[in-house]
């Protein structure tokens, strides 16, 4: 096997999966049915995988070169994970996006 970076500088990547805690409700007319109300890391999902409706993606990217004029003393919050200050000379950028798993929403809402 050969390992290769797909994107240079990615220091940390965290995913939180959003699911509907009412997914297994016997009545689809239950208030909140089909809406994300809980976000969990993959190890905490348990038997809720069928109800996953969205994914939150947190990515911490570090510059490739040091900047002697800069000290990164910031603490970063990547969902339920905190990355403490490194106090080094690398610049970092925290990026976040939320992805809706549209096909499941269409199925839950009768194709609307």
């Amino acid at each position: 096997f050969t390992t290769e970076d797909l994107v240079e500088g990615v220091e940390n990547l965290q995913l939180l999966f959003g699911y509907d805690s009412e997914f297994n409700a016997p009545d689809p007319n239950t208030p909140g049915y089909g809406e994300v109300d809980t976000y969990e890391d993959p190890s905490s999902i348990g038997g809720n995988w069928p109800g996953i409706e969205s994914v939150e993606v947190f990515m911490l990217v570090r510059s490739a070169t040091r900047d002697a004029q800069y000290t990164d003393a910031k603490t970063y919050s990547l969902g339920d994970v905190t990355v403490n200050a490194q106090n080094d000379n690398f610049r970092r950028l925290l990026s976040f996006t939320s992805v809706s798993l549209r096909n499941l929403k269409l199925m839950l809402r009768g194709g609307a």
Side-chain angles (χ1 to χ4, degrees):
F1 289 99
T2 302
T3 60
E4 183 177 338
D5 292 340
L6 294 177
V7 179
E8 184 179 1
V10 175
E11 252 187 356
N12 199 318
L13 179 70
Q14 297 293 322
L15 303 175
L16 290 178
F17 291 88
Y19 65 91
D20 175 18
S21 63
E22 300 294 329
F23 181 75
N24 292 319
D27 181 9
N29 295 316
T30 302
Y33 184 82
E35 298 298 324
V36 172
D37 57 22
T38 306
Y39 282 91
E40 299 280 350
D41 67 81
S43 65
S44 301
I45 297 298
N48 294 313
W49 286 105
I52 299 295
E53 296 181 24
S54 68
V55 180
E56 289 185 337
V57 181
F58 300 85
M59 185 170 56
L60 184 61
V61 181
R62 187 187 82 181
S63 62
T65 58
R66 293 180 183 270
D67 180 348
Q69 305 297 316
Y70 177 78
T71 300
D72 184 9
K74 299 176 188 169
T75 298
Y76 300 92
S77 178
L78 288 79
D80 60 350
V81 172
T82 299
V83 176
N84 293 323
Q86 300 298 311
N87 294 312
D88 59 13
N89 302 112
F90 289 100
R91 293 184 179 270
R92 289 175 176 79
L93 174 69
L94 176 60
S95 182
F96 163 80
T97 192
S98 183
V99 179
S100 178
L101 304 177
R102 182 175 158 83
N103 290 344
L104 180 60
K105 285 189 179 276
L106 287 174
M107 184 178 71
L108 288 173
R109 295 186 177 141

